[in-house]
Amino acid sequence: MSVSAGTTRIVAMEGNLNSSSFDMDLRDPNNLNNHLQVQWSDVIGEPESIRSNDCIWNCSYKCYRGTKNCCYQSVTLLFAPLLAFCMGIQFACLAFQHIWCYVPCIRCLKINCSVVRDVTTIILQALCAPWIETCGHCLSRVKVRYQRISDLQEEEDLMTV
Amino acid sequence: MSVSAGTTRIVAMEGNLNSSSFDMDLRDPNNLNNHLQVQWSDVIGEPESIRSNDCIWNCSYKCYRGTKNCCYQSVTLLFAPLLAFCMGIQFACLAFQHIWCYVPCIRCLKINCSVVRDVTTIILQALCAPWIETCGHCLSRVKVRYQRISDLQEEEDLMTV
Amino acid sequence: MSVSAGTTRIVAMEGNLNSSSFDMDLRDPNNLNNHLQVQWSDVIGEPESIRSNDCIWNCSYKCYRGTKNCCYQSVTLLFAPLLAFCMGIQFACLAFQHIWCYVPCIRCLKINCSVVRDVTTIILQALCAPWIETCGHCLSRVKVRYQRISDLQEEEDLMTV
Amino acid sequence: MSVSAGTTRIVAMEGNLNSSSFDMDLRDPNNLNNHLQVQWSDVIGEPESIRSNDCIWNCSYKCYRGTKNCCYQSVTLLFAPLLAFCMGIQFACLAFQHIWCYVPCIRCLKINCSVVRDVTTIILQALCAPWIETCGHCLSRVKVRYQRISDLQEEEDLMTV
Amino acid sequence: MSVSAGTTRIVAMEGNLNSSSFDMDLRDPNNLNNHLQVQWSDVIGEPESIRSNDCIWNCSYKCYRGTKNCCYQSVTLLFAPLLAFCMGIQFACLAFQHIWCYVPCIRCLKINCSVVRDVTTIILQALCAPWIETCGHCLSRVKVRYQRISDLQEEEDLMTV
Amino acid sequence: MSVSAGTTRIVAMEGNLNSSSFDMDLRDPNNLNNHLQVQWSDVIGEPESIRSNDCIWNCSYKCYRGTKNCCYQSVTLLFAPLLAFCMGIQFACLAFQHIWCYVPCIRCLKINCSVVRDVTTIILQALCAPWIETCGHCLSRVKVRYQRISDLQEEEDLMTV
Amino acid sequence: MSVSAGTTRIVAMEGNLNSSSFDMDLRDPNNLNNHLQVQWSDVIGEPESIRSNDCIWNCSYKCYRGTKNCCYQSVTLLFAPLLAFCMGIQFACLAFQHIWCYVPCIRCLKINCSVVRDVTTIILQALCAPWIETCGHCLSRVKVRYQRISDLQEEEDLMTV
Amino acid sequence: MSVSAGTTRIVAMEGNLNSSSFDMDLRDPNNLNNHLQVQWSDVIGEPESIRSNDCIWNCSYKCYRGTKNCCYQSVTLLFAPLLAFCMGIQFACLAFQHIWCYVPCIRCLKINCSVVRDVTTIILQALCAPWIETCGHCLSRVKVRYQRISDLQEEEDLMTV
Amino acid sequence: MSVSAGTTRIVAMEGNLNSSSFDMDLRDPNNLNNHLQVQWSDVIGEPESIRSNDCIWNCSYKCYRGTKNCCYQSVTLLFAPLLAFCMGIQFACLAFQHIWCYVPCIRCLKINCSVVRDVTTIILQALCAPWIETCGHCLSRVKVRYQRISDLQEEEDLMTV
Amino acid sequence: MSVSAGTTRIVAMEGNLNSSSFDMDLRDPNNLNNHLQVQWSDVIGEPESIRSNDCIWNCSYKCYRGTKNCCYQSVTLLFAPLLAFCMGIQFACLAFQHIWCYVPCIRCLKINCSVVRDVTTIILQALCAPWIETCGHCLSRVKVRYQRISDLQEEEDLMTV
Amino acid sequence: MSVSAGTTRIVAMEGNLNSSSFDMDLRDPNNLNNHLQVQWSDVIGEPESIRSNDCIWNCSYKCYRGTKNCCYQSVTLLFAPLLAFCMGIQFACLAFQHIWCYVPCIRCLKINCSVVRDVTTIILQALCAPWIETCGHCLSRVKVRYQRISDLQEEEDLMTV
C-alpha cells in the first residue's frame, strides 16, 4: 500500500468517529459551554409581588431575542472559519510535541527517579527511621477507662455542686 | 439550504424553547428574584397586643399599594426595552468569546498541565515522599488499652480522694 | 388589549393575592413583630411569696392599658399613611434596580467566573496538588493497637504503683 | 363603622385576651419573677445539730413576716400606678417605632444583602475555592491500620521491656 | 371589699403557705445549712490503733456539748429578732425594685435587642459567611482508608524491623 | 412552756441523736482519722530474705507498744477537756454567723445576680452571638469518605513502594 | 470504774488486735518491705552459655549468706529497741495532734469554704458564664457528611491521579 | 551455539512480545497520551441557547479537521524516524547503567545500611526510649464518664438557663 | 530459747528457702543475666550465599570456645569469693536502713501529707473550681449534624466541580 | 577431608542453589529491574484523535528496536565480564567484614546497652514518672453528656434563632 | 570433686548445648547475617524488554561466582582463628563484669529507688495532684447533641444558601 492509502484509511476512520461527534443539532455533546445560560428567563424575571405592564414585558422580550441572535451570527460569519484554521495548526503541533518528545522524556525520568527513590529510602531507613520510631513510643502507653453514669447519680451531682 | 433557512430553523427552535420559558403570567420560572418580597404583609405587621385604628390601617394599605404599582410601571415604560437591547448585544459578544476563544485555550492548557503534573509528581515521589513517609512512622506505634469501670468502683474512688 | 387592560389585570391579580395577605383581624400573618410582647402579663408579675394590695394591683393594670392604647392610636393617626406613601416609592425603585440591573449583571459575572475557576483549578492541579498530596502521606502509616483490660489486672496495677 | 367603633372592638378583644392574662390570684402566669424567693424557709434554716430556743425561733418568724408585708404594701400604694402610667407611654412609642420604622428598613436591608451575598459567593468560588480545596487534599490520604492484642501478648511485652 | 379585706386574704393565704414552710421541728426544709456539721462525731474521732482513757473521752464529750448549746442559745436570744426585722425591710424593698423596675426594663431591652440581632445577622450573612464557608471547604475532602491486621502479620513486622 | 422546757427538749433530742453518734467502743464512726495507721505492723516489717533474732524482735515490739500508749494517754489527760471547751464556743459562733448572716446575704445576692445574668445574656445574644455563629460555619462542610482495604491490596502496596 | 480499768481494757483490746498483727514467723503482713530482695538468687546469676567452676560457685554462696546474716543481727541487737522506743513517742504525739487539732480545724475550714464556693459560683454564673456560653456556640453548627467508597471506585482514582 | 544464534533467539522472543505490543490500529495500548483530546467536539461547542448559522458551523468543522491532519502528518514524515533512532541509543545506555552499575551499588548500600540501622536502634533503645516512654505515661490515666440525656431533661435545662 | 537457737532457726529456714533458690545446675532462676548471649552461634554466622572452608570453620569454633572458658574460670577463681563477702556486708546494712529508718519515716510522712492534701483540696474547691467549671461550659453546646451520601450524589458533585 | 574437598562441597551446594537462581530465559527472578520499561509501546503512543501515516509509524518502530538491541549488546560484550570480576572481589570483602567484625561488635554493644537501659529506666521511674503521672490526672475527670435531637425540635430552633 | 571435674562437666554440658548450636551445614541458625544477599540473582538481573547475548551472560556469571568464593576463602584462612581467639577473651571479661559487678549494683539501685519513688509520689499527691485535678474539671461539662439529616432537607439547604 502507498502513503495515500494509509491517509485514506485514517480519514475514513476519523470520519466514522466524527460522525458520532459531529452533529448539526446537538452541537455540544461534551457540555463544554453549559455555563452559557443566556436565554430571556435566565436573565430577567419579575416576582409575583410586583409586575410591569404586559406590552412593556412583551416588547422587551422581543427586543432582547432579536438583538442577541443577529449580533452573534454576524460575528461568527466573520471570524469562525479563520479561528478554526488556526486551531488546527496549533493542536497538530501540540500533539507532535507530546507524542514524540515529552512522553519519552517522562519515561526516561521515571526510570532514573526510581533509583533515586530507592537510595533515599534505604539511607533514611538506616539514619532517621529509628529516631522517629523512638519518638513514636510516646503514644504507646495510652490507657482509657470509661464509665456509664445513670440519671440518678446526676441528680446527686447537682445537689453537691 | 440557504443561510436564511438555517436562521429560520434556529429561530423556530428557539421559539419552541422559549414558548416554555416565556409566559405572560409566570414571569420568573427560574426564581431569580424571589428575594423581592415587597407585598404589604411582608413589610408591615401589627401583633395581637397592640393595634391601630381600623380606618388608619386600611388607608395606609391602599396608599402603599397604589404608590408602588404606579411608580414601578412608569419607570419600566421608559427604560425596559432600552436595557433589553443593550443586554442582547452584551450577551452575544460574551457567548462568542467563550465558545471560540476561552474554551479552546482551556483545552490547550489542560493538555500542557497534564504533563507538568506528571513530571512534578515523579520528582516529588523520588525526593520528598521518603522523607514524609519516614516522618509518618511517628504514628505507627500507637497502643491503646481501655477498661470499663463499674459503679461500685466509683464509690471507692470517691472515698479515697 | 391596551395598556390599561394589562394594568387592570395586574391589579385584579394582586387584589386576589392581597385578599389573602390583607386581613382586618389577623394583621401580622408573617410574624414580623412577634417580639413585641407588651401586654400587662409580659411586663409585670408578682410571685407567690410577696403580694401587693388588690385595689392597687387593679388600678395599676387599668392605668397601663389605657395609656398604651391611647398613645399608640394617636401616633399612628398622624404618621402611618405618610410612611406608607414613602415606602411605596422606595420599594418600587428597589424592585426596578434588582430586576433590570443587578440580576443580569450577576448572570454575566457567573459566566465569566466559571471560566476563571476552571483555569485556576487546572493550574493548581498541576503545580500545587502534587506537593499537597505528598505532604498528605504523613498520615498514611497510622497504626493503632488496642487491648481490653479486665478488672483483675487493674488491681495488680494499683498494687505495683 | 366609625373610629370609635374600631376602638371599641379592639378594647373588647383585648379585654378578652386580658381576661385570660389578668387574674387576681395568679399574678405571674409567665413566671417573670420566680427568682424572688423571699419566704422565711428560703432565708433562714437551722440544721439538726444545733438549734435555738423555741420561742426565739417563733418570735423571729413573726417579726420577719410582718415587716416584709407592711413595707411592700406601703411602697406599692405610693408608686405602682405612677409607674404603670409611664410604662404605658413608653411601650406605645416602642411599638410604633418597631412596626412602622425598623421592620420595613430590615426588609429593605434583606433585599440588598441578598444580592451582595450572591456576588461575594460567586467571586470567592472562582478565586479562593480552588486554593482551599487544593489544601484540603492534604487529608485525602489518611490510612489507618488497627490490630487487637490479646492478653497473652501483653505479658510478653512486659517481659521484654 | 376594702383594702383591709385584701390584706386579710393575703395574710391568710400566706399563712396557709407558711403552715407548710414553718415547722417547729423540721427547721431547715430547703437544706440551706446542711454544711453545718458540728456534732461531736463530726469533729473528734479516735482510730482503732490508738485510744485515750474512757473517762477522759466521756468528759471531753460532755464539755463540748454543753458549751456549744449554751453559747448558741444566748447569742440568738440577743440578736435573732432584731436581724429578722432588718431582713423583712430589706427583702420588701428588693422585691419592689425587681417587680416594678428591673423586669419591665429587661422586657424593653429584649425588644430592642431582637432588632439589633436581626440586622447583625443579615449583614454578617452577606459579608462574612461566604468567606467562612469557603474556608470550610478545606475539610471537605477527607478520605480515610482503614485495614485490620491479623496477628500473623504482626510477627512478620517484628522480624523485618 | 418556759425557756427551760425548750432547752430541755433540745437536749433530750440531741441526746437521742448523740446516743447513736456517741459510743464508747466505736469512737470514729465517720472515719475522720483512718489515715492514722500507727500499729506495729504498719510501721515495721522484715521480709523473708533477712530476719533479726527472735528476742530482739519481741523486745522491740513491746517497747514500741508501751511507749506509744503511755505517752498518748498522759497528753490527753492534760489537754483534751480544755480543747473540747474551746471548740464548743468556736462552733457555736460559727453556726450563728452562717445561719443568721451569711445565708440570707447569699439569698439576696442570688436574686440580684439573676437579673444581671439575664441582661448580660440578652445583650450578648444580640451583639456577639451572630459573629460566633458565623465563625462556626467553618465546620459545617466537613465531608468524610472512608474505605476498607483488604489484605491482598496491602501486598501490592508494599510491592510498589 | 477507775482510770486503770480503762487502761486495762484498752491494752487488752489492743492485745487482741495485735495478736493478729504480731506474729513471730510472718513478720511483714502488710508487705512494707517486699522491695528488699537480697537473697543469693536475686543478686548473682550465671547464664547457660558461661559458667564458673562448681566449688567457686559454692564457696561464694556460703560466703555471701554468712556475712549477710551475722552483720544484720549484730546491728539490730544494738539499735532496734532504742529505735522502737523513739518511734513510740513520735507516733503518740503525731496521733494527738491529728485527732485534737488538725481534724477540727479542717471541719471549720470546710464549713467556711462551702460559703465561699457558693458566693463565687453565683457571681461567676452571672458575669462570666454568658460570655463563655456565647463562645461555645462556635461548635454548634458542625455538619458532617460521610460516604463509603467501594473498591472499584478506588481503581479509577488511581488511574486519574 | 554462536553469538548470532543467541541474538536470533532474543529477537524472535522480542518479536513475539512485540507482536502483542505493536499494532497498526490500536497505537496506544498503555494509554500514554489519552490526555490529548483534540477532536472537534473536544474543542468547540455551542449551547442550546445560542447558535451560529449552519453553513458557518459546517465550514469551520471541515477547516479544522483538514488543517490538523495535514500539519501533523507532514511533521512526522520529517522527524519521527530520526527521533526513534536517537531514543534507541539513549534507552540502551540507560538500561546498561541501571543493570550493571546502579543496582549492584544499591545492593551494597543495603547491606551496609542494615548494620547502621541496628547500631542506631540499639543505642536509642538504651538512651532515649526510657525517656520517651516515661513521657508517654502522661496519657495513661484518661478516664471518661458518659451519660445519655433524655428530652425531658433538656426542657428543664432551657428553663433554668 | 537463747539467741543461738533463734539464729539456728533462721538459718534453717533460710536454708530451706535457699534449697529452692540455690541449685548447682540451674544457676540463674530469676533470669538476671539472660542478655549475656555469648555462645558461638550468637556471635558468628555464615549465610547460605557465602561460606568459608570447613576446617577453618571448625578451627575457629574450637579456638573461641576454649579461650572463653579458661579466661572466665581463672578470673572467678581470683575474685568471686571476695566480692561475695563485700556484697554480704553491703546488703545487710541496706536492709537495716530500710526496715528501721526509711519505712517508719515514710509512714510518718504519709500521715502528715494526708492532712495537707485535704486542706489543699478544700481551698481549691472553694476558690478555683468555680472558675474552671465556668470555663468548661465552653464545650457544653456542641451540636453535630451528620448525613450519609449515596454514590449517585457523588457523581453530580464531581460534575459541578 | 582436605581443604579442596570442602571447597568442592561448597561449590556443589552453591551450584545446586544457583541452578534455581541461574536461568538463561528468566534472567530477573527477584524483579530487580522491572522499572526498566523500554519497549516501543512503553515509550511512544498515538491517541485515537490524531494519527501519523502507516509507513512512518512502521519505519519508526523498526528503527527504534534495531538501534536499541545492537547498542546494548555491543556495550555488554565489552564491559560485563570485567564488572562481574570486580563485583566478586567487592562482595567477598564485604561479607568478611560483616561476618567476622561488625556482627560480633553489635553483640557486644547489645549486652552493654541492656544494662544502660535498665539503669536509666530505674532512675526515671523513681524521679520522673511520679511527676508525669501527676500531670496525667488532668484528663481523669472527662465527663461527656450526649443527646439525640429529633427533626421537630430543629424547626423550633430555626424559628427562635 | 576437683576443679578439673567441674570443668569437665561444664565442657560436656556446653558440648551438648553446642552440638545443637554447632552444625557444619546450617551455619547461621540465629539469622545473624541474612542481610548478606550476595548471590548472582541478588545483584544482576535483566528485564524482559532488553537482553544481552547468551554467552556474555554465562561468562559474567562464572566470573562473578569464582572470584567471590576464592577471595572470601583466602581471607578467612588468614584471619578467622585469630579473631576467634580475641573474641573469646573479650566475651569472658564482659561476662564477668556483668555477672559479678553490674547486676548486683542494679539490685542495690532498685532497692534505693523504690523508696525515692514512694516519697516523691506521696509529696506530689499532697501538693500537686489537687491542682491538676482542679484543672481537669475543665472537661467535665462536655455536652454533645447530634442529629441525623435526611436527603430532602439537604436540598432545601442548597436552595437557601
Side-chain angles (χ1 to χ4, degrees), chain C residues 41-102:
Chain C
S41 63
D42 295 326
V43 176
I44 298 291
E46 281 185 335
E48 292 287 334
S49 56
I50 192 162
R51 298 215 161 183
S52 62
N53 196 314
D54 277 9
C55 65
I56 294 294
W57 181 251
N58 202 358
C59 165
S60 299
Y61 165 62
K62 286 175 181 165
C63 185
Y64 174 81
R65 198 184 60 183
T67 311
K68 191 185 69 173
N69 287 333
C70 294
C71 186
Y72 180 72
Q73 290 188 1
S74 59
V75 172
T76 51
L77 181 63
L78 292 172
F79 295 108
L82 181 62
L83 285 168
F85 177 76
C86 296
M87 282 192 273
I89 294 173
Q90 181 185 12
F91 281 104
C93 297
L94 193 71
F96 179 76
Q97 283 179 326
H98 279 262
I99 295 172
W100 295 95
C101 302
Y102 294 163

Side-chain angles (χ1 to χ4, degrees), chain B residues 35-38 40 42-57 60 140 143 145-146, chain D residues 2-4 6-7 9-10 13-14 17 91-92 95 99-100 103-104 107 111 114-115 145 148-149 154 157:
Chain B
H35 63 281
L36 280 177
Q37 295 171 349
V38 295
W40 175 251
D42 296 326
V43 176
I44 298 291
E46 281 185 335
E48 292 288 333
S49 57
I50 192 162
R51 298 216 162 182
S52 63
N53 196 314
D54 276 9
C55 64
I56 295 294
W57 182 250
S60 299
S140 64
K143 184 171 173 186
R145 291 179 292 168
Y146 62 98
Chain D
S2 64
V3 175
S4 62
T7 307
R9 208 185 65 184
I10 288 174
M13 192 169 63
E14 195 173 44
L17 288 169
F91 281 103
I99 294 172
W100 295 94
V103 171
R107 172 62 60 193
I111 292 170
S114 168
V115 173
R145 292 178 292 169
R148 177 166 185 139
I149 316 169
E154 171 68 4
D157 189 19

Side-chain angles (χ1 to χ4, degrees), chain G residues 106-124:
Chain G
I106 288 176
R107 171 63 61 196
C108 186
L109 185 68
K110 259 190 193 171
I111 292 170
N112 282 320
C113 280
S114 169
V115 172
V116 173
R117 181 174 185 178
D118 286 352
V119 172
T120 313
T121 303
I122 289 165
I123 292 172
L124 283 175

Side-chain angles (χ1 to χ4, degrees), chain C residues 111-130:
Chain C
I111 293 170
N112 282 319
C113 281
S114 168
V115 172
V116 172
R117 182 175 184 177
D118 285 352
V119 172
T120 313
T121 303
I122 290 165
I123 292 172
L124 283 174
Q125 286 292 320
L127 292 179
C128 298

Side-chain angles (χ1 to χ4, degrees), chain B residues 68-151:
Chain B
K68 191 185 69 174
N69 287 333
C70 293
C71 184
Y72 180 71
Q73 289 188 3
S74 59
V75 173
T76 52
L77 181 62
L78 290 173
F79 296 107
L82 181 62
L83 286 168
F85 177 76
C86 297
M87 282 191 273
I89 293 172
Q90 182 186 10
F91 281 102
C93 296
L94 194 71
F96 178 77
Q97 283 179 327
H98 279 262
I99 295 172
W100 295 95
C101 303
Y102 294 163
V103 171
C105 288
I106 289 174
R107 172 62 61 194
C108 185
L109 186 67
K110 261 189 191 172
I111 293 170
N112 281 320
C113 280
S114 167
V115 172
V116 172
R117 182 175 184 176
D118 286 352
V119 171
T120 313
T121 304
I122 290 165
I123 292 173
L124 284 174
Q125 286 292 320
L127 293 179
C128 299
W131 293 91
I132 298 288
E133 288 195 359
T134 303
C135 295
H137 275 94
C138 196
L139 294 171
S140 64
R141 295 266 170 193
V142 180
K143 184 171 173 186
V144 178
R145 291 179 292 168
Y146 62 98
Q147 184 179 24
R148 177 165 186 140
I149 316 168
S150 66
D151 293 359

Side-chain angles (χ1 to χ4, degrees), chain H residues 9 14 29 58 94 96-97 103 124 154:
Chain H
R9 207 183 69 182
E14 195 173 44
N58 203 358
L94 194 71
F96 179 76
Q97 284 179 327
V103 172
L124 284 174
E154 172 68 5

Side-chain angles (χ1 to χ4, degrees), chain I residues 11-27:
Chain I
V11 170
M13 191 169 65
E14 195 173 43
N16 290 331
L17 287 168
N18 285 337
S19 68
S20 69
S21 74
F22 184 74
D23 188 356
M24 269 300 174
D25 290 335
L26 180 62
R27 292 185 177 178

